[in-house]
Amino acid sequence: MSHELRTPLNAILGISEMLQEDANEAGQRELVEPLGRVVGAGKHLLKLINEVLDLSKIEAGRLELHIEEFDIAGMVQDAATTAQPLAQKNRNRIIMSCPHDVGSMRADQLRVRQILLNLLSNACKFTENGQVTIGATCVKHNGRDGVIFTVADTGIGITPRQMTNLFQEFSQADSSTSRKYGGTGLGLAINQRLCRMMGGHVTVDSTPGAGTTFTVWLPSAIDAPTVPAGPDATVFGIAADDGVRLVSNVVLVVDDDETVRDQMRRFLVREGCDVVTAKDGTEALKLARQVRPAFITLDVLMPGCDGWSVLQELKADRELANIPVVMLTVVDERNRGYMLGAADYMIKPIERDALRKLITKFSSGTSGQALRVLVVEDDENTRQQWCRILRTEGCGVDEAENGRLALERLIHALPDLIILDLIMPEMDGFEFLVELRKQPAFKTVPVVVVTAATLTEEDHRRLNGGVERVLAKTGFNHNELLDELRTMVARYILKRRSPDKDHRGD
């Protein structure tokens, strides 16, 4: 549904913005304002669609959290900067109350940012000629380390009667509020559900006519929720038909250093794994085909066939492509993994500024020459819109309406960048990336994926070349490495355990 709903909006917003630019250039001022209203209405509709889709995913238990560590102060600063135009609209001031050394948290950065922006948006909307304050601090709650985010305003406030349905879907404080200020009544409902998903809560304190303060408490470290597995469901993140034996507890350790292999074996055996080791890439590929491990730890720097070459071979083999891989490296080569798949991805509809930044990002290696871009998109309106913007920005553009035609274009001319739609007939974006990895001449071309669909955790793994995680190999007693490997064991391995024996928990 996300693809079906967002794709028409892509044309509505894209063509309206093009017409608005043409009207500006032609001096047709009488057309600029109504076209601006079309663009504004389209963006409002897109926001509503995004909120309805989020709510439906939460209620269906299908919303996935992507857990990562991020800087709290940077997150607050980013949210405040993004909300600045909303504040200026009602002549408000945004004040930050967050120490720079507040630290970091481990959570879904996108969803935490969404919570803060929803609260800032409401505060700016219901406040005029006032101030909105956003802050963050680390506190304990019920013995757990956590982070408190606050968003306070000097706006109209909320009455006790209005509080009763504040977090209900599609409801505003009252009908007069809805008529005057607009909105869908979904933002706070989504905030409450996102907080609960991450083990936190949101509260509100308000005085009518004086202002409102929303307080969000979230744990400092959030574990990704596990999805219960039915007979045909996904088990520990691996689909039942993806070619990996779900009952396997075998881990393949690939490293040219014998000491490292021994240390890894000792640790993983204590975690209940059967371990096989390989000293180089050739041996690793042979063993992978023989034992079909539950996951693979792969050293990057090895003589002969290095880790990235082994990874490429694994992902080109249909029977091995779905085995999760944890890369171990002494150098920071995280981006290299993405070059085997997608260099970046964007959500439709694409704004012109986002496309312009993309061009700037990938033009740095073209030695001053025009960036050559291949646009792969089945929808003709969308394809023409992207091509027009790219040509306006000085790029050389070729186009293809599906993955098969795109591969033919690559044979005749190698571009500097590929912009790739995921959902296409004949050969979709995922299949195209698999074929692209098989061709040595094409594998260095960066690919930016564009999709109107919501990417799952499995989609992210497929896009980044199957790299589950890239870890710094700074000694195998390092807590992060061992914790991550323990997570892999819990996630990808189902252990055969005897019910009459007592076992230590992970």
Side-chain angles (χ1 to χ4, degrees):
M1 283 303 296
S2 61
H3 180 265
E4 295 300 322
L5 289 169
R6 286 174 176 146
T7 298
L9 273 178
N10 190 63
I12 292 169
L13 287 170
I15 294 171
S16 298
E17 287 174 346
M18 281 164 38
L19 290 172
Q20 197 175 22
E21 288 179 359
D22 290 345
N24 257 322
E25 291 174 3
Q28 296 173 309
R29 303 298 178 193
E30 70 280 3
L31 297 178
V32 174
E33 191 274 332
L35 286 168
R37 276 188 280 136
V38 175
V39 172
K43 289 181 177 178
H44 177 76
L45 184 56
L46 178 62
K47 183 175 185 293
L48 174 59
I49 286 171
N50 289 338
E51 288 178 341
V52 170
L53 290 170
D54 273 348
L55 190 63
S56 67
K57 282 185 289 184
I58 293 170
E59 291 183 342
R62 296 290 299 276
L63 187 72
E64 294 178 331
L65 298 178
H66 300 283
I67 307 301
E68 60 184 321
E69 188 164 341
F70 58 89
D71 179 62
I72 297 170
M75 163 68 69
V76 171
Q77 178 65 63
D78 177 61
T81 302
T82 303
Q84 196 62 45
L86 298 173
Q88 292 172 349
K89 186 177 179 181
N90 281 353
R91 301 167 300 282
N92 295 315
R93 241 178 358 120
I94 294 183
I95 299 172
M96 271 191 59
S97 176
C98 176
H100 292 294
D101 58 352
V102 68
S104 62
M105 67 184 296
R106 184 171 172 79
D108 188 319
Q109 184 173 4
L110 181 66
R111 296 304 176 182
V112 175
R113 183 176 185 271
Q114 181 179 354
I115 290 169
L116 295 181
L117 285 176
N118 276 344
L119 295 177
L120 285 169
S121 175
N122 274 356
C124 292
K125 182 165 64 174
F126 294 113
T127 305
E128 293 183 5
N129 299 305
Q131 69 181 38
V132 174
T133 304
I134 179 172
T137 185
C138 291
V139 296
K140 278 186 179 292
H141 177 72
N142 292 335
R144 294 184 68 189
D145 291 330
V147 183
I148 281 184
F149 297 97
T150 56
V151 175
D153 63 61
T154 57
I156 62 175
I158 306 169
T159 67
R161 184 178 65 83
Q162 291 169 340
M163 286 277 194
T164 57
N165 63 345
L166 193 63
F167 293 100
Q168 297 298 311
E169 303 93 335
F170 300 105
S171 64
Q172 292 274 21
D174 55 39
S175 58
S176 63
T177 302
S178 180
R179 284 194 301 270
K180 181 175 180 181
Y181 295 98
T184 61
L186 283 176
L188 291 179
I190 290 172
N191 272 13
Q192 186 184 61
R193 285 158 177 76
L194 288 175
C195 287
R196 287 174 179 170
M197 276 189 70
M198 292 187 280
H201 57 259
V202 56
T203 57
V204 59
D205 181 49
S206 185
T207 303
T212 303
T213 300
F214 281 93
T215 303
V216 172
W217 183 88
L218 293 173
S220 297
I222 297 168
D223 296 322
T226 55
V227 180
D232 298 318
T234 297
V235 183
F236 290 113
I238 302 178
D241 61 350
D242 68 3
V244 178
R245 293 185 301 159
L246 298 183
V247 294
S248 172
N249 69 339
V250 177
V251 178
L252 173 58
V253 174
V254 187
D255 202 296
D256 64 307
D257 188 323
E258 184 178 356
T259 303
V260 170
R261 293 198 304 273
D262 184 58
Q263 288 177 325
M264 291 288 286
R265 183 192 297 110
R266 289 171 182 270
F267 169 76
L268 290 166
V269 166
R270 286 199 304 270
E271 293 297 314
C273 303
D274 291 334
V275 181
V276 293
T277 63
K279 64 179 179 296
D280 56 41
T282 303
E283 188 179 0
L285 291 168
K286 180 181 177 181
L287 283 171
R289 294 184 177 100
Q290 286 177 356
V291 303
R292 301 292 176 81
F295 74 93
I296 299 169
T297 72
L298 180 58
D299 184 24
V300 169
L301 299 180
M302 295 185 295
C305 184
D306 69 8
W308 298 116
S309 301
V310 175
L311 178 65
Q312 186 180 355
E313 290 291 325
L314 288 169
K315 297 310 164 184
D317 188 320
R318 190 178 298 275
E319 295 183 353
L320 305 177
N322 288 311
I323 299 176
V325 179
V326 179
M327 304 297 291
L328 303 178
T329 177
V330 293
V331 293
D332 187 8
E333 290 189 288
R334 286 169 173 79
N335 292 332
R336 183 79 178 273
Y338 289 90
M339 291 298 287
L340 293 172
D344 204 344
Y345 81 94
M346 307 174 76
I347 301 296
K348 293 180 183 177
I350 304 178
E351 295 183 358
R352 176 183 285 268
D353 285 345
L355 202 52
R356 187 176 289 122
K357 289 177 183 176
L358 195 70
I359 295 165
T360 303
K361 176 181 176 181
F362 289 100
S363 292
S364 57
T366 59
S367 304
Q369 298 179 354
L371 189 73
R372 300 184 304 279
V373 184
L374 172 60
V375 175
V376 189
E377 162 67 60
D378 64 305
D379 182 75
E380 186 175 358
N381 286 332
T382 302
R383 195 170 66 248
Q384 294 305 319
Q385 175 203 344
W386 294 351
C387 289
R388 171 174 170 155
I389 294 173
L390 290 166
R391 289 189 181 105
T392 302
E393 295 297 322
C395 298
V397 183
D398 197 2
E399 55 186 279
E401 60 215 49
N402 60 53
R404 202 171 304 283
L405 288 174
L407 290 173
E408 293 176 7
R409 299 281 194 278
L410 287 171
I411 294 171
H412 295 99
L414 200 64
D416 300 308
L417 174 67
I418 299 172
I419 297 180
L420 174 69
D421 184 27
L422 276 187
I423 311 300
M424 296 182 294
E426 292 194 44
M427 179 185 283
D428 66 16
F430 289 114
E431 294 171 314
F432 172 80
L433 285 171
V434 170
E435 293 300 317
L436 194 72
R437 294 186 197 118
K438 294 179 181 178
Q439 305 294 330
F442 302 157
K443 68 179 182 180
T444 58
V445 180
V447 179
V448 175
V449 165
V450 181
T451 178
T454 302
L455 296 181
T456 65
E457 187 174 345
E458 177 59 25
D459 290 335
H460 280 278
R461 283 198 293 273
R462 292 170 72 188
L463 288 178
N464 70 13
V467 179
E468 175 67 27
R469 187 74 195 273
V470 181
L471 297 177
K473 194 170 63 176
T474 55
F476 286 99
N477 60 345
H478 194 278
N479 288 336
E480 181 192 7
L481 174 60
L482 298 186
D483 286 345
E484 285 296 332
L485 288 176
R486 189 175 286 113
T487 300
M488 297 298 125
V489 170
R491 183 174 189 172
Y492 291 112
I493 297 178
L494 295 179
K495 301 174 185 175
R496 289 191 180 99
R497 288 181 173 175
S498 174
D500 59 344
K501 292 183 180 179
D502 182 34
H503 293 272
R504 177 178 61 84
D506 288 340

